[in-house]
Amino acid sequence: MSTLNGQVIGQAHFATRALLDRAVAPLGVDFAQVLALNALTAGPADRTSLVRRLASARRVDESAVHEVIAGLVDAGLARLDDTAEPRVSLTDAGHRTQARVAEAVGGITARLYGDIPPAEADVAARVLTLVTERANDELAGGTAQK
C-alpha cells in the first residue's frame, strides 16, 4: 500500500507529464505552450490576465509566460491584437493544434484513468484539490495547517 504524500503525487505528475510531452512533441509545442493553448480555447483573453493566470498556475515569473505567448505568435498558433489592452487569441492553426493536443490528452486520460472506479477517482480528485488549495494558501502566506 502506498502512502499518500508529495513524492507519490509528484511521481504521478511527472510520469503523466512525460507522456504528454512525448505526445505533443510532434506538434511542435511544449508543456507551457499547451497550457496557453488550452487557456485560449474559450476565446480571446486579455494578455495581462492570461499572463498572470498562467504564471500563477505554473509558479513561474511572468516574463516566462510572455516568452511562451511570443513563441505561439511566432509559430502562427496565436495572434496579439494591437489595442490599448492587448488580447491574445488562437489562429486557425492554433485551434487545430489545440484540438490535436486535446485528442492526445483524451487518449492518455483514457489509458491511465479509464478503469479506475468513479467513486475512487472522485475521492482522489477531492483529496488532490484539497492538497492544492492548502499548498496555495501557504504559498500566499495563509495558514493551511488544519
Side-chain angles (χ1 to χ4, degrees):
M1 170 94 119
S2 294
T3 300
L4 179 63
N5 59 34
Q7 182 177 5
V8 169
I9 294 167
Q11 288 171 343
H13 163 77
F14 287 119
T16 304
R17 167 83 183 270
L19 288 173
L20 177 64
D21 288 343
R22 184 172 70 186
V24 301
L27 303 175
V29 294
D30 61 23
F31 181 71
Q33 291 171 321
V34 164
L35 295 179
L37 289 169
N38 288 342
L40 292 168
T41 58
D46 169 75
R47 180 173 62 181
T48 301
S49 298
L50 178 65
V51 166
R52 286 184 185 140
R53 184 173 45 168
L54 292 175
S56 175
R58 291 187 53 225
R59 307 290 190 265
V60 298
D61 188 79
E62 290 182 4
S63 63
V65 179
H66 281 288
E67 289 178 24
V68 168
I69 293 169
L72 291 174
V73 170
D74 290 346
L77 300 176
R79 69 178 144 266
L80 248 171
D81 65 24
D82 292 327
T83 60
E85 289 292 328
R87 295 181 66 76
V88 184
S89 59
L90 293 179
T91 62
D92 289 343
H95 281 289
R96 286 191 301 274
T97 300
Q98 196 285 323
R100 291 180 66 195
V101 166
E103 184 179 307
V105 169
I108 293 167
T109 300
R111 291 190 307 276
L112 299 183
Y113 300 95
D115 64 346
I116 296 174
E120 289 184 32
D122 288 346
V123 169
R126 284 194 307 274
V127 168
L128 293 174
T129 298
L130 179 60
V131 169
T132 301
E133 288 170 356
R134 288 177 177 175
N136 285 337
D137 185 52
E138 283 198 31
L139 289 168
T143 56
Q145 301 171 1
K146 295 179 182 173

